[in-house]
Amino acid sequence: MKIGDKLKGHVTGIQSYGAFITLENGTTGLVHISEIRTGYISSIDQILAMGQEVEVQVIEVDEFSGKLSLSMRSLEEEKRRAVRKKRFTSNKQKIGFAPLKDALPHWTAETLKLLREEERS
């Protein structure tokens, strides 16, 4: 495994400082509480559950101990960047700058829906 790899795994341990994830290949890594999602987290148990399948990204590999540092937050931020980029660079919609005022309510509703879905998961 190398930094940047995106992998799936299952939550196999939850501590106050983070969650242990066992990846598909049997390797276990840690998602520190600060790497679970953007913003303050009062309790990891409210976000993750034992056995839950999650997608993570490798952010650090310790060559000597073999320990993996994983992140879920980096994937969340990547999705948000993709949504923003899609809105303003779509050649199919041809929205340009003139109708931004008309499109803003739709974008606001779409973003609020995305945020609500993230809160539930």
Side-chain angles (χ1 to χ4, degrees):
M1 273 176 269
K2 62 186 183 305
I3 293 173
D5 284 351
K6 297 173 189 172
L7 308 162
K8 291 190 183 214
H10 289 87
V11 177
T12 54
I14 297 177
Q15 297 294 323
S16 59
Y17 53 85
F20 291 93
I21 310 297
T22 299
L23 304 172
E24 293 172 332
N25 66 2
T27 307
T28 300
L30 175 70
V31 178
H32 187 268
I33 190 169
S34 66
E35 291 295 332
I36 292 176
R37 72 173 189 198
T38 303
Y40 177 74
I41 298 173
S42 61
S43 175
I44 296 172
D45 293 354
Q46 295 173 344
I47 299 165
L48 297 174
M50 293 291 289
Q52 179 180 346
E53 184 179 70
V54 294
E55 187 174 3
V56 295
Q57 186 169 31
V58 177
I59 58 171
E60 187 177 343
V61 179
D62 187 318
E63 296 175 11
F64 300 106
S65 67
K67 292 181 181 177
L68 294 177
S69 294
L70 306 171
S71 176
M72 294 168 58
R73 185 181 73 173
S74 63
L75 297 174
E76 170 189 312
E77 291 169 356
E78 186 176 278
K79 288 177 189 174
R80 285 187 181 163
R81 281 192 300 272
V83 168
R84 277 191 226 124
K85 182 177 180 182
K86 178 180 152 191
R87 287 186 187 148
F88 291 103
T89 61
S90 175
N91 291 330
K92 294 178 184 176
Q93 294 182 7
K94 305 271 187 213
I95 56 176
F97 288 104
L100 285 177
K101 166 179 91 165
D102 298 333
L104 188 58
H106 171 71
W107 292 340
T108 303
E110 183 181 83
T111 301
L112 288 172
K113 179 182 175 189
L114 177 67
L115 290 171
R116 285 187 198 109
E117 289 172 0
E118 287 178 4
E119 283 180 352
R120 290 185 199 126
S121 55

